[in-house]
Amino acid sequence: MFTQFLGNYLLQKGIVNQEQLFNAMSRLSQTHIKLGTIAIHEGLMTAKEVDECLFVQTREDKRFGEIAVERGYLTDEQVNELLSKQTPDYILLGQNLVEDNVFSYEELERILFDYKNETELYDLSLDVENQEAVQSIISKFFIMAEMPVEETNVMYLELMFNSLIRFVGEDFSPLSPMVLDEFPITFGVSQAISSNREYLTHIDCDRETAIAFASRYAKEDFNEFDEYVVAALEDFLNLHNGLFIVNISNSLSKNISLAPPEIKMDGILSGPNKCVDFPVAYPFGTIHLLICF
């Protein structure tokens, strides 16, 4: 999930645009990590040293590791250790953006340093899906929206991001959240969750985006907006919210119930108090995830 969070950071800072980001994300499954990228990530080489070895490699028929060892930047043992490491996808994203000439290795090194400091993750490893780190980043989405950070809300958004990765695709980036008194509906699916207080959750998008979203979720090629597209979005929200109430009931021991999903076309959405809109950009369009309190 750190790939999506890094994408959000890069967009917020204006370092990349959506086209550059999605182009790099679309190649993640075909990308092989390079030794120089791992060495920067592990703090064993600087970006300047990596660039130097890459330059030499264009003029000598040698592997990167051989050149790095010859120049005293790495030992043979370190090269073997780096080659055996499992590298997180967010590092692959950075490598793809370097290869696309969006920024340099030196800039990537600075970006990752600034990102970890600004998100206060400098004491945490991002090599694995560290739950503490994930929850820390998600909490900041609520802080950005000037909303209180509550355990159930963080759990909901964390599970939603995981559901999107699992059922729709990982090539998305969350955008900046917004607090709204009401939301103008284009097309969407709503579902009420009742516990010690009422929630209304809603997914909204235009119809073309709905077709693409439903096609990915159902693993079918829908070509027009029809009842099958609508049913797929209903099923996604109902599945996700069903998983959420199981998790929240087990962890918080609260009585919680789920109403049937409802289709909403046009009009205005409003909740008992405020709605927080969490836009999520995919290559095919943007969907709006709303939690209304």
Side-chain angles (χ1 to χ4, degrees), residues 115-127:
Y115 173 63
K116 290 182 181 181
N117 277 279
E118 288 189 30
T119 52
E120 299 177 2
L121 296 174
Y122 36 80
D123 291 328
L124 296 170
S125 170
L126 299 186
D127 292 347

Side-chain angles (χ1 to χ4, degrees), residues 142 147 153 197-199 271-276 291-293:
F142 289 94
M147 294 293 291
N153 297 338
R197 71 184 198 188
E198 298 297 315
Y199 291 83
N273 190 5
K274 298 282 187 180
C275 292
V276 186
I291 307 174
C292 300
F293 305 94

